[in-house]
Amino acid sequence: MSAAQDKAPLKVAVAGLGTVGQGVVRVLARNAELITRRAGRPIRVVAASVRNRSRTRDCPLEGVELHDDPLALAGCDVDVVVELMGGLELAQSLVLAALENGKSVVTANKALLAERGDVVFAAAEKSSGALAFEAAVCGGIPVIKALREGLVANRIDAVIGICNGTSNFILTEMARKGVAFADALADAQRLGYAEADPTFDVEGIDAAHKLTLLASIAFGVRPMFASVYHEGLSRIQARDVQLAQELGYRIKPLAIAKRGATGLELRVHPTLVRNSHLLASVDDSLNAVSIFGDAVGQTVYIGRGAGSEPTASAVIADLVDLARGQISGDPLGQPVGGLHAGTVLPLGEVRSASYLRLRVDDAPGVLRSITAILAELDISVEAILQKEPREAGAATLAIITSVAPEARHAKALEQVLALPFAHADYTRLRVEHFDED
Ligand code: HSE
């Protein structure tokens, strides 16, 4: 027996033995020897809470004391409570109770941390236990570790990611099969990526939760979920995906946090990304995060953002840090009391380029009128594609504009749509240019 094997184990209670909880128990058992060696002592799940005791579970549960009430775990003889229940109220009560009792907490609950972060992080600071949440952001990708530790020397200027696998899968399906949003969503639900109620994923709320946490660590600001702009995918048509491809772009569900001279940009929306950028080729349900640091430049992290064992991988990474005593009392990488309130740039002042798909009457002078409006607002046309009319008298135009403030794009769109030959059917999306584009 190795010395590590003989050391006192880190005792763990897991609240919720769903897909991820089972993954944690399974991977800890399967890789017990190497995890013990790396952690310097065994990590042992000794208690868990479940909603339904009679359910069959795909993980070994010998020696695990089962509880019906998750709150009971806060009083168990354990070092760490792993919260994998999701939701807000009960999860918050458990996390606060565990921290108050001096236990460490590992959670994958991005909604709790993003929406109730002020309370939870303050409780963690007071507690003799630690709080860790690698699994809350992009599942198996160690992006919290990268930001808090690997890139600690850098002033972070931007974090731009595909932080929701379901949305990425839907847009990939639309591109690959030419299907409508509703059909791609139905495929995502059939394959188990999307929930029966897909709102959090397809409206950008899940990604906004993750972006809130990334921005807090990157910029040293308090969690500001309410200030994150989010826009969903449902207005995107199959032809937008195709036109974007013809123009040399992919539409990706980006979460964008940028430090600007006058404020932070915090936004989640479907975005055109040039084919040449790495994020454009991150497909299916994969996640990817691109971080820009002043010293290191751009680094990109790609991997599985959800699923049983990818998420378990992140949970166990936190457990190993706790076993080694390597997690500091500052869950956001700096004292909670020192976080700034943060100023978010109003959306109207955010600068980006636009993709504009318009349906217009096919008549002489139409293009001239549209470009005149853009020129008047100092917006230049960077690329334009006109499809031959498929129905008599109506044409489709796709335009990529120069970079301009959002408010000017909005004004241009309003004026173009008011032209007598413009149809009501249109799409406007933002285009993100990366430095190396
Ligand atoms: N539902 C999320 C996704 C994973 O599709 O990426 C959990 O946040």
Side-chain angles (χ1 to χ4, degrees):
M1 258 196 213
S2 75
Q5 187 62 47
D6 295 337
K7 294 249 171 76
L10 183 83
K11 287 189 275 181
V12 177
V14 179
L17 282 182
T19 318
V20 177
Q22 291 174 59
V24 169
V25 177
R26 198 168 53 240
V27 175
L28 279 173
R30 190 173 71 227
N31 293 343
E33 196 188 321
L34 70 87
I35 291 172
T36 301
R37 205 172 341 113
R38 291 170 181 168
R41 56 182 171 137
I43 296 177
R44 198 158 293 150
V45 177
V46 297
S49 67
V50 288
R51 270 197 299 216
N52 176 359
R53 282 178 187 249
S54 56
R55 214 180 115 190
T56 312
R57 293 190 167 81
D58 181 19
C59 60
L61 289 174
E62 300 83 50
V64 179
E65 191 179 283
L66 291 184
H67 294 259
D68 299 310
D69 178 10
L71 292 177
L73 300 181
C76 283
D77 175 24
V78 293
D79 305 295
V80 189
V81 173
V82 176
E83 186 278 303
L84 299 172
M85 301 182 297
L88 291 177
E89 301 309 330
L90 187 56
Q92 178 174 329
S93 302
L94 172 61
V95 167
L96 295 184
L99 289 169
E100 254 165 49
N101 289 349
K103 301 187 191 309
S104 291
V105 170
V106 172
T107 179
N109 194 330
K110 65 226 76 171
L112 174 67
L113 299 176
E115 296 190 29
R116 311 264 174 97
D118 279 345
V119 177
V120 175
F121 290 120
E125 200 171 48
K126 274 202 221 122
S127 171
S128 56
L131 172 67
F133 56 96
E134 185 64 68
V137 181
C138 298
I141 307 178
V143 66
I144 302 286
K145 225 177 216 319
L147 264 179
R148 269 187 12 171
E149 297 169 31
L151 303 177
V152 71
N154 289 259
R155 184 196 68 223
I156 303 296
D157 295 319
V159 180
I160 302 180
I162 297 170
C163 298
N164 185 267
T166 305
S167 302
N168 198 23
F169 176 83
I170 289 171
L171 288 170
T172 304
E173 282 282 283
M174 290 174 75
R176 203 172 270 157
K177 299 185 179 164
V179 295
F181 167 77
D183 296 324
L185 170 59
D187 280 352
Q189 285 170 320
R190 191 172 41 78
L191 292 168
Y193 295 126
E195 307 281 336
D197 176 359
T199 312
F200 265 46
D201 289 325
V202 300
E203 291 304 326
I205 300 165
D206 173 77
H209 285 145
K210 295 167 184 165
L211 191 72
T212 301
L213 299 171
L214 291 172
S216 278
I217 300 170
F219 307 134
V221 292
R222 291 210 277 271
M224 29 199 337
F225 171 68
S227 303
V228 180
Y229 171 80
H230 62 87
E231 189 179 297
L233 308 179
S234 55
R235 291 202 51 173
I236 300 175
Q237 298 189 5
R239 70 183 116 170
D240 293 314
V241 177
Q242 283 152 15
L243 287 166
Q245 281 181 313
E246 287 178 46
L247 288 160
Y249 292 84
R250 297 290 307 276
I251 304 179
K252 288 290 165 191
L254 292 196
I256 299 172
K258 281 189 194 173
R259 177 202 298 280
T262 52
L264 300 176
E265 291 179 31
L266 298 176
R267 49 197 170 98
V268 174
H269 48 70
T271 312
L272 272 74
V273 178
R274 243 201 277 267
N275 277 337
S276 53
H277 193 270
L278 203 50
L279 291 185
S281 54
V282 175
D283 279 337
D284 297 303
S285 64
L286 285 176
N287 282 197
V289 185
S290 180
I291 303 178
F292 297 78
D294 70 329
V296 73
Q298 182 180 193
T299 57
V300 184
Y301 310 82
I302 301 175
R304 297 248 156 257
S308 177
E309 295 201 1
T311 312
S313 163
V315 169
I316 295 169
D318 283 341
L319 291 175
V320 170
D321 277 348
L322 286 166
R324 291 169 171 161
Q326 274 179 356
I327 286 194
S328 80
D330 299 327
L332 293 167
Q334 51 216 291
V336 174
L339 297 170
H340 306 290
T343 306
V344 176
L345 203 63
L347 190 64
E349 291 176 32
V350 167
R351 293 173 62 80
S352 67
S354 271
Y355 156 89
L356 205 51
R357 178 186 57 78
L358 299 166
R359 289 282 290 160
V360 291
D361 292 345
D362 183 27
V366 165
L367 212 47
R368 188 180 55 193
S369 308
I370 294 170
T371 53
I373 289 174
L374 295 174
E376 194 60 34
L377 288 160
D378 201 20
I379 298 173
S380 178
V381 172
E382 301 283 321
I384 188 160
L385 189 67
Q386 177 169 352
K387 299 301 242 182
E388 284 177 336
R390 270 193 306 195
E391 61 192 73
T396 295
L397 284 176
I399 297 171
I400 304 281
T401 72
S402 59
V403 172
E406 180 85 14
R408 256 198 274 148
H409 286 299
K411 198 163 178 187
L413 181 61
E414 190 187 319
Q415 292 182 12
V416 166
L417 292 176
L419 291 168
F421 51 73
H423 300 201
D425 173 20
Y426 75 94
T427 306
R428 189 236 151 182
L429 297 170
R430 296 170 190 85
V431 180
E432 189 67 25
H433 293 306
F434 294 80
D435 284 347
E436 75 280 18
D437 273 0

